[in-house]
Amino acid sequence: MSQQVRSEKIAVRAEVRARRASASPRERERRRDALAGQLVDLVSDFGARSVTAYVPLGSEPDIGAFLEWASHAGVRVLLPVALPGHRIEWAIDTGARIEGRHGILEPEGPRLGTEAAGDVDLLLVPACAVDASGTRLGWGLGYYDRMLATLHRRPPVYAVIDDEDVYPSLPRDAHDVPVAGAVTPTRILRFADPREV
């Protein structure tokens, strides 16, 4: 990673953190409910019966209302379990969660391994930001890029972000895995499928 790319990524992350932290509780609630509607539409469009998702941490886009809907709608949800070495395994979301690495809540159930993500219909992943070409900027630890790069089968990947987190372009390294789309509280963005580029 070049020093310039590293510096640009740090600047974008700081900007997004500050913007997300400044949102009022009322605005966060509005975004949560709107985001749930968009995620339900995306899952319905794909006819997805299984997805990966995440439990939001801090000011990450709140998908709690979507997780509730998925539970009631019979959509199987896998949530990440962070492992040493910046690796991810998955477990089925049953609603029972414990605190894991980095203070992130994770399912109590049995671990399914990294490859379980390749068996779902749709991957919903957290992100700091995305750009118009599908570049996804994470938070710098590389968990998701490592996981996505190792899947033998990669279902469509959609980043979950706020509307302001869509940039015209973002700094990118060779190891950054692009996404097929992004979901915000007001829209679903579809990029070129990175496997076809």
Side-chain angles (χ1 to χ4, degrees):
M1 176 188 305
S2 76
Q3 187 56 43
Q4 180 178 348
V5 169
R6 184 189 313 265
S7 297
E8 290 173 0
K9 286 185 172 185
I10 289 170
V12 172
R13 289 180 182 123
E15 182 178 278
V16 171
R17 278 192 182 98
R19 185 171 53 237
R20 288 181 179 179
S22 70
S24 69
R26 183 177 208 166
E27 175 61 15
R28 289 180 189 175
E29 185 176 304
R30 184 197 66 75
R31 289 180 184 188
R32 179 201 65 212
D33 294 344
L35 188 56
Q38 296 293 339
L39 289 166
V40 168
D41 287 347
L42 179 68
V43 167
S44 299
D45 287 350
F46 273 97
R49 301 306 306 153
S50 59
V51 301
T52 65
Y54 64 93
V55 177
L57 182 66
S59 62
E60 284 185 320
D62 186 349
I63 64 168
F66 166 75
L67 293 174
E68 288 179 27
W69 171 84
S71 175
H72 294 346
V75 175
R76 183 176 183 248
V77 176
L78 302 185
L79 295 176
V81 177
L83 302 175
H86 298 144
R87 295 176 303 116
I88 294 175
E89 285 190 334
W90 300 92
I92 298 170
D93 182 24
T94 62
R97 299 174 187 151
I98 56 174
E99 187 172 317
R101 295 175 79 80
H102 311 293
I104 299 170
L105 293 178
E106 58 189 40
E108 278 189 310
R111 306 306 184 235
L112 304 177
T114 299
E115 277 299 320
D119 296 330
V120 301
D121 300 317
L122 183 63
L123 295 163
L124 302 174
V125 301
C128 168
V130 299
D131 72 15
S133 69
T135 297
R136 173 191 172 271
L137 178 65
W139 295 106
L141 295 178
Y143 279 95
Y144 282 90
D145 285 322
R146 280 184 190 85
M147 181 271 299
L148 292 170
T150 64
L151 294 181
H152 295 299
R153 174 188 174 270
R154 188 184 309 156
V157 183
Y158 278 73
V160 182
I161 54 175
D162 288 329
D163 288 295
E164 303 85 359
D165 304 335
V166 180
Y167 284 70
S169 66
L170 287 169
R172 184 171 188 274
D173 286 298
H175 65 262
D176 292 330
V177 178
V179 294
V183 185
T184 80
T186 64
R187 58 191 172 150
I188 297 170
L189 301 169
R190 290 179 168 88
F191 310 123
D193 187 327
R195 293 165 296 188
E196 297 172 3
V197 174

